[in-house]
Amino acid sequence: MNHSLHASYQYRPSSVMVFELPEPIDVSMAVEQQAEIIAGEAVVVSVNAVAAERLGIKNPCHNSGLTIESLTQGVYTDSVTDVVMHVRTKMEQFVRGGYVLENISNDVSHEGNSVLVSSSFHGLVENGYLKTIMAVFSNENFRKTQEQMVSRIARDLAADSGEAFFSHLVTCLAKTLGFDYAAVIELESHSDDVKKATYYNNFTGLCQIHGSELPLEGTPSGEVMKGEVRAFRRGVTDKYPRDKVLRSLNAEGYIAVPIWGEGPRPLGLLTLIDSEEVQNIELVRAVLTIFAIRASAELERIRLEEKGRQQQAQQKTLIENNTSGMFIVDVDPPMPINLPLPKQVQWLAENSRFAECNRAFVNLVGAASKADVLGRGLCDGRVLYDFATLAREFIGENYVFHDHIIPFVGPGRKEICLSSSISGEIVDNKLTQMLGGISDVSDRVAHSKEMEYRATHDGLTSLPNRSFFVEQVERVLEFSTEESRHAILILDLDGFKEVNDTLGHETGDELLKKIGPRLTKVLPEDSAMLARLGGDEFAILTENYGDENDLKILADGVMQEIRSSFEVNGLELVVGGSVGIAMYPEHGESVSSLMRCADIAMYQSKKNSTDFTIYNSDSDHYTMRRLTLMMDIRQAVEHGELRLFYQPIVNISDQSVVGFEGLIRWQHPELGMLSPGEFIPLIELTDTIIPVTWWVVETAVKQLAEWRENGWEYRISVNVSTRNLLDPGFVGFIESCLERYDVEGRLLEVEITESTLMADPEKARVVLQEISDLGVYLSVDDYGTGYSSLAYLKSLPINTLKIDRAFISQMLEDNQDEIIVNSTIQLAHNLGLDVTAEGIEDASLISRLAELGCDKGQGFFFCKPIPVEELHTWLFLHQRQIPIGRIA
């Protein structure tokens, strides 16, 4: 043991003494009188071990007879009179302070040494009398010495970290505190094994021992690892005979404290060992505890750094093995983001360089290695893409890209499409880095383009379809001026039905495919568009034509091509046609008005057997009729002119009838029975559609109630429009009808077309859910003719999809139509929906639909829409398997 330490190390930190008065003092007594009695008569009745040792009291519980005055005279060198006055002055302060006096510092003499002592007195007052006083005396030399040692060690360790910190720590502790050995031992994170031990040997120097070489069982260190402090002034080797380390060091004194982290178990321990008895163990423990906290912080920091390195390594491995290309671009010098846009684009072109990337990125850009990429600028002539446009978009989107598609051509590669997501790092209003990822989405883009093409082009002829044609005309009209002159030509073939009926649909389809190439030859190359509207009807948009004579020349050229024979499957076929022409702005300023006028002119041309006709309002006999119908329909409900016809819906598998679709008819007092096609389109855009639909719903529910009385339990489906879904009272009306006629909601089915759904998807979703909550069934009519998808429909509470007749009627002749029908059935079933096929007019269709798994069907093959009074007879014949199709 190093005995050069100050002698004050012998003293314990605090002495505690309890004094009692022979007779309690009345606290109302004069202060001076109380102070005199306390100083001279209060005697020691109890002391702690530290005080007993200092006073030489063998039995601390024995009354030593020492008063405060006699105790003070034993340690102060002043005269008795001065000591008495000093003590009484302090006791007066004690009384005036409410029998509390704290932190009185005095120099006292002990065995020839001057010791700084801090004193505190606390009195116990009960019922107005003071009986007991507790005094605490602390050796301030101990605290100062401790502070000096801690300061000295901390100063030596100030610049150290990591392994150097622990080496210096054990060295400074051993040398400063005078021990032969010092060690810091670190535990493994998730076990009681020693990870590493760093210790200082005063004789051999610094050494490190791994955990496998340092057993802890049966050692004081093992107990400390459980969270306990162990301190032995002497005899530690005898207490732990199994500890080989202690025996090899000839250890006598030992002290160790746990190093705590944030977890429930220690990170390790800090220990000091000496070959002689430890004289100042309390001081050593205090210093050791302080530096255990510092060691804990360093261990936590090292472990965090190690964890960070592991995470970085894992992230690097993850990034390197990622199939998506990942990269970091440095902008050096950083780019101020307050520069004008052109300056920012130029800055990025000149000062952005690839700083890091993974192997996938190298492959995607067609480079040979990372070395061929790193250091390369974003604007690099070896790779072709529109840098300026992309840079402007990146800046305009606040330095963020998300799934941005970039057409890209790498060295020696064809064009591909890359999806790029990039995030810019902004520091102090400067762009410093760009972090991003890319992936090859060429297949996805190609598929998207194909789906877009299919949505906008006719599947048979590859010409633009009706919807795309309408969109293009709307776009042209939107940007037209007063001087603009455009025209729409509608062509309807003559004799095409005869080709289909005589030679079959396959021949008719081949003929239609040849129309586009024929007509394209006579159309202006940059100012005209040809589309197939449907069936054998085509349309042409010509922009900014010269005059009316130019339109006539164009129409004449179209008809010459149509009249020329077509070679189809080895046959020479000849068809005719009729063209109707409408001009903008003379005949209309909207797509619908121009299409209507061109359609009327085409029928006028067909009626007059002319090649083409320019629209003339004098020959428009439809306008007045339609206006009349719109006026008369307002009275039709009130006058009882509407009728509800019923078309059976049949189970495909066993031909059983599962329900009926209610289809409206108008018994006009002058024009006779009118189909819905003649008046429903006129009123769908007006409020008249609301009372008409309400009539249909109530009539259907009332019919269901009558059928229930007759023992029939069929479902009736009715059609509703966009205006009905937007009508706030519609759902309430359905509910009131069901309650009024006591009909279960499951027997009523509401049909909505795709176009109705897509007019206001969110509103439709809410209304349909409210209808479904009534128990009413929901179906989507004419599926396949609109823009919705099963992905959207799956979010709606619908029960049935009805495939449009346009796909059903041609599915046996057109493989594309059958694929669409089959895909729709399978996807609908996967979503838990039934499928109904519309427009069945052939027995062979039923067999094929059954093979494809279609659930239900309707069409003229089973029965046309008939009045309710004819249903009983039809059902009677159908149930006896009589071929009703022939008599219906």
Side-chain angles (χ1 to χ4, degrees):
M1 180 76 181
N2 187 339
H3 297 289
S4 63
L5 295 174
H6 194 278
S8 62
Y9 284 12
Q10 305 173 39
Y11 301 119
R12 309 299 174 87
S14 299
S15 299
V16 180
M17 302 180 186
V18 178
F19 297 84
E20 282 192 0
L21 292 160
E23 296 293 335
I25 298 176
D26 186 344
V27 298
S28 62
M29 187 184 299
V31 173
E32 294 79 2
Q33 190 177 357
Q34 290 187 55
E36 182 179 354
I37 296 172
I38 293 170
E41 298 182 16
V43 296
V44 176
V45 295
S46 179
V47 298
N48 70 344
V50 177
E53 182 178 350
R54 290 182 57 196
L55 296 173
I57 300 174
K58 297 181 179 179
N59 184 359
C61 297
H62 183 269
N63 188 333
S64 67
L66 291 173
T67 65
I68 297 177
E69 284 183 351
S70 61
L71 178 65
T72 307
Q73 290 172 3
V75 295
Y76 286 109
T77 58
D78 297 336
S79 67
V80 174
T81 302
D82 290 340
V83 170
V84 170
M85 292 302 296
H86 173 77
V87 172
R88 291 186 180 181
T89 300
K90 294 301 178 183
M91 290 303 100
E92 287 178 9
Q93 294 176 4
F94 169 68
V95 174
R96 289 191 177 93
Y99 305 98
V100 175
L101 184 62
E102 293 184 332
N103 299 325
I104 306 170
S105 297
N106 297 102
D107 285 320
V108 301
S109 176
H110 182 74
E111 297 181 357
N113 294 313
S114 177
V115 180
L116 180 64
V117 176
S118 175
S119 305
S120 296
F121 294 86
H122 298 266
L124 178 60
V125 177
E126 293 182 352
N127 301 320
Y129 288 89
L130 174 67
K131 174 67 174 178
T132 305
I133 303 158
M134 183 179 71
V136 180
F137 303 96
S138 299
N139 181 355
E140 292 298 298
N141 282 25
F142 176 91
R143 179 180 59 81
K144 285 188 175 182
T145 303
Q146 175 185 316
E147 291 176 354
Q148 290 170 358
M149 289 184 175
V150 170
S151 177
R152 186 191 314 162
I153 297 172
R155 185 172 60 250
D156 292 341
L157 294 173
D160 291 329
S161 62
E163 296 300 332
F165 168 80
F166 294 110
S167 299
H168 279 147
L169 174 62
V170 294
T171 303
C172 291
L173 286 173
K175 290 184 176 181
T176 303
L177 297 175
F179 277 76
D180 293 334
Y181 306 94
V184 57
I185 300 175
E186 179 186 1
L187 282 178
E188 292 286 358
S189 298
H190 304 291
S191 72
D192 291 332
D193 296 332
V194 173
K195 180 178 182 181
K196 184 181 294 185
T198 302
Y199 74 86
Y200 174 78
N201 184 325
N202 193 37
F203 305 104
T204 62
L206 190 64
C207 182
Q208 291 184 341
I209 305 176
H210 292 286
S212 59
E213 303 173 21
L214 190 64
L216 295 178
E217 187 176 352
T219 70
S221 297
E223 296 176 3
V224 176
M225 288 300 191
K226 297 176 182 178
E228 303 176 8
V229 176
R230 283 291 179 265
F232 300 94
R233 193 185 302 274
R234 68 181 73 86
V236 67
T237 301
D238 296 336
K239 294 181 184 296
Y240 296 92
R242 296 173 55 189
D243 193 329
K244 297 179 180 179
V245 175
L246 293 178
R247 192 165 58 250
S248 66
L249 297 177
N250 195 24
E252 186 69 26
Y254 174 96
I255 182 168
V257 297
I259 300 174
W260 289 102
E262 295 182 357
R265 56 194 299 275
L267 300 176
L269 66 85
L270 194 58
T271 182
L272 291 167
I273 303 173
D274 200 84
S275 58
E276 297 184 11
E277 178 181 343
V278 180
Q279 299 298 321
N280 52 347
I281 200 162
E282 292 299 330
L283 175 64
V284 173
R285 174 159 45 187
V287 174
L288 215 56
T289 300
I290 292 172
F291 283 97
I293 298 173
R294 176 66 177 87
S296 169
E298 190 64 23
L299 281 177
E300 290 279 22
R301 187 189 65 78
I302 291 173
R303 290 190 177 189
L304 284 175
E305 286 184 353
E306 183 177 349
K307 184 178 180 181
R309 286 192 296 270
Q310 291 175 351
Q311 289 177 341
Q312 287 180 353
Q314 292 170 353
Q315 290 172 358
K316 186 172 183 179
T317 301
L318 180 64
I319 292 172
E320 188 61 31
N321 296 331
N322 200 302
T323 56
S324 296
M326 307 183 79
F327 62 89
I328 298 174
V329 172
D330 284 342
V331 182
D332 188 19
M335 181 187 75
I337 62 175
N338 57 358
L339 291 176
L341 179 59
K343 291 289 186 181
Q344 292 193 49
V345 173
Q346 182 179 358
W347 192 296
L348 291 179
E350 296 175 353
N351 301 300
S352 57
R353 297 286 184 272
F354 285 101
E356 188 55 77
C357 67
N358 64 355
R359 167 52 60 180
F361 183 84
V362 173
N363 294 336
L364 284 171
V365 300
S369 64
K370 284 188 180 182
D372 195 35
V373 174
L374 302 184
R376 180 193 299 181
L378 280 178
C379 186
D380 191 309
R382 288 173 287 179
V383 177
L384 303 179
Y385 65 102
D386 189 350
F387 172 81
T389 299
L390 293 173
R392 284 194 295 269
E393 292 175 355
F394 172 69
I395 296 166
E397 293 177 19
N398 200 23
Y399 309 96
V400 173
F401 262 177
H402 179 66
D403 195 20
H404 202 97
I405 306 301
I406 301 176
F408 183 90
V409 180
R413 297 184 58 181
K414 63 180 182 180
E415 180 176 322
I416 62 175
C417 290
L418 296 178
S419 171
S420 177
S421 295
I422 304 175
S423 177
E425 290 288 326
I426 308 296
V427 179
D428 296 332
N429 289 322
K430 292 182 179 181
L431 178 67
T432 61
Q433 274 190 335
M434 290 179 278
L435 296 82
I438 59 173
S439 57
D440 188 348
V441 293
S442 301
D443 292 341
R444 188 184 88 188
V445 172
H447 178 71
S448 177
K449 288 181 178 179
E450 181 181 358
M451 296 304 293
E452 181 181 354
Y453 182 85
R454 289 186 178 184
T456 58
H457 286 73
D458 175 55
L460 177 65
T461 64
S462 297
L463 293 173
N465 59 18
R466 176 185 288 272
S467 62
F468 186 67
F469 181 79
V470 169
E471 288 178 7
Q472 291 301 107
V473 175
E474 287 178 340
R475 187 174 292 109
V476 169
L477 298 183
E478 181 182 358
F479 293 100
S480 295
T481 63
E482 294 180 358
E483 292 76 24
S484 299
R485 293 178 63 81
H486 313 302
I488 291 177
L489 290 73
I490 291 182
L491 164 68
D492 186 79
L493 299 182
D494 295 334
F496 180 73
K497 185 177 185 302
E498 286 72 16
V499 172
N500 265 344
D501 293 345
T502 305
L503 302 176
H505 289 285
E506 182 179 348
T507 301
D509 288 347
E510 289 300 319
L511 174 61
L512 291 176
K513 292 179 183 178
K514 294 180 178 294
I515 298 295
R518 279 280 187 93
L519 298 186
T520 301
K521 294 189 298 184
V522 299
L523 298 180
E525 186 173 346
D526 299 324
S527 60
M529 180 178 68
L530 173 66
R532 183 191 179 196
L533 301 182
D536 60 348
E537 192 172 53
F538 297 81
I540 298 170
L541 166 67
T542 179
E543 302 179 47
N544 296 313
Y545 63 90
D547 53 27
E548 187 174 306
N549 188 56
D550 292 333
L551 293 178
K552 293 179 180 180
I553 294 173
L554 176 60
D556 184 64
V558 167
M559 289 307 302
Q560 287 184 28
E561 292 295 331
I562 293 298
R563 284 195 298 267
S564 301
S565 61
F566 293 85
E567 183 179 345
V568 180
N569 297 331
L571 299 175
E572 292 288 332
L573 301 179
V574 178
V575 294
S578 303
V579 174
I581 304 173
M583 299 180 293
Y584 171 88
E586 292 93 326
H587 303 146
E589 297 184 356
S590 67
V591 178
S592 58
S593 61
L594 290 171
M595 293 282 283
R596 172 186 173 277
C597 292
D599 197 50
I600 291 172
M602 182 269 294
Y603 280 109
Q604 190 68 32
S605 179
K606 193 178 291 290
K607 178 181 178 181
N608 297 333
S609 299
T610 58
D611 286 344
F612 58 85
T613 298
I614 296 176
Y615 174 79
N616 187 331
S617 58
D618 294 337
S619 302
D620 189 352
H621 302 296
Y622 296 93
T623 304
M624 186 58 67
R625 173 186 172 91
R626 293 183 179 184
L627 180 60
T628 301
L629 291 178
M630 290 183 67
M631 298 298 294
D632 292 348
I633 193 66
R634 297 181 181 274
Q635 308 298 325
V637 176
E638 182 180 341
H639 295 168
E641 298 172 3
L642 300 180
R643 304 285 184 271
L644 202 60
F645 280 32
Y646 298 89
Q647 184 174 40
I649 300 174
V650 177
N651 193 316
I652 294 291
S653 61
D654 60 8
Q655 306 291 296
S656 61
V657 177
V658 296
F660 299 89
E661 180 176 1
L663 299 165
I664 193 172
R665 298 291 187 268
W666 182 7
Q667 185 64 54
H668 195 279
E670 298 178 3
L671 302 176
M673 187 67 73
L674 300 179
S675 67
E678 294 187 71
F679 61 90
I680 290 297
L682 301 179
I683 64 173
E684 276 189 329
L685 301 178
T686 70
D687 291 338
T688 310
I689 191 66
I690 294 177
V692 170
T693 305
W694 284 29
W695 177 88
V696 171
V697 171
E698 183 168 9
T699 302
V701 173
K702 183 178 179 181
Q703 187 62 61
L704 288 170
E706 292 179 6
W707 285 352
R708 183 189 61 223
E709 298 299 325
N710 296 330
W712 288 13
E713 195 173 84
Y714 295 112
R715 180 179 294 125
I716 295 179
S717 61
V718 296
N719 293 277
V720 301
S721 70
T722 304
R723 281 184 172 267
N724 296 127
L725 293 185
L726 297 177
D727 176 14
F730 183 57
V731 178
F733 177 75
I734 295 176
E735 183 176 14
S736 67
C737 284
L738 294 173
E739 292 177 354
R740 189 162 64 251
Y741 293 102
D742 191 22
V743 171
E744 295 182 47
R746 65 183 180 84
L747 297 177
L748 180 66
E749 183 170 14
V750 171
E751 293 189 11
I752 313 98
T753 64
E754 283 191 277
S755 58
T756 297
L757 288 175
M758 301 311 292
D760 189 344
E762 290 307 315
K763 177 66 175 177
R765 189 194 308 275
V766 173
V767 175
L768 292 183
Q769 186 60 58
E770 293 176 350
I771 295 175
S772 177
D773 291 342
L774 300 176
V776 175
Y777 273 52
L778 297 168
S779 62
V780 176
D781 196 13
D782 299 339
Y783 180 75
T785 61
Y787 295 96
S788 68
S789 66
L790 286 176
Y792 166 70
L793 297 179
K794 72 177 182 180
S795 65
L796 301 176
I798 62 175
N799 306 97
T800 302
L801 284 186
K802 302 186 76 172
I803 305 177
D804 187 71
R805 66 182 66 247
F807 298 106
I808 300 299
S809 62
Q810 301 293 324
M811 61 176 284
L812 296 181
E813 292 81 20
D814 190 330
N815 185 51
Q816 294 283 346
D817 283 353
E818 180 171 320
I819 290 174
I820 293 173
V821 172
N822 184 33
S823 298
T824 302
I825 292 172
Q826 301 309 316
L827 288 173
H829 284 171
N830 288 338
L831 294 175
L833 306 178
D834 287 340
V835 180
T836 299
E838 297 183 299
I840 298 177
E841 301 181 7
D842 194 316
S844 57
L845 281 172
I846 299 175
S847 300
R848 185 58 184 142
L849 287 169
E851 292 173 2
L852 296 177
C854 186
D855 302 294
K856 296 171 288 186
Q858 64 184 97
F860 280 18
F861 177 79
F862 299 112
C863 181
K864 68 181 182 180
I866 57 177
V868 66
E869 53 268 18
E870 297 181 20
L871 280 183
H872 189 278
T873 302
W874 183 88
L875 282 170
F876 177 80
L877 296 175
H878 179 76
Q879 291 168 356
R880 284 157 180 74
Q881 298 183 355
I882 293 178
I884 7 200
R886 287 191 237 149
I887 65 171

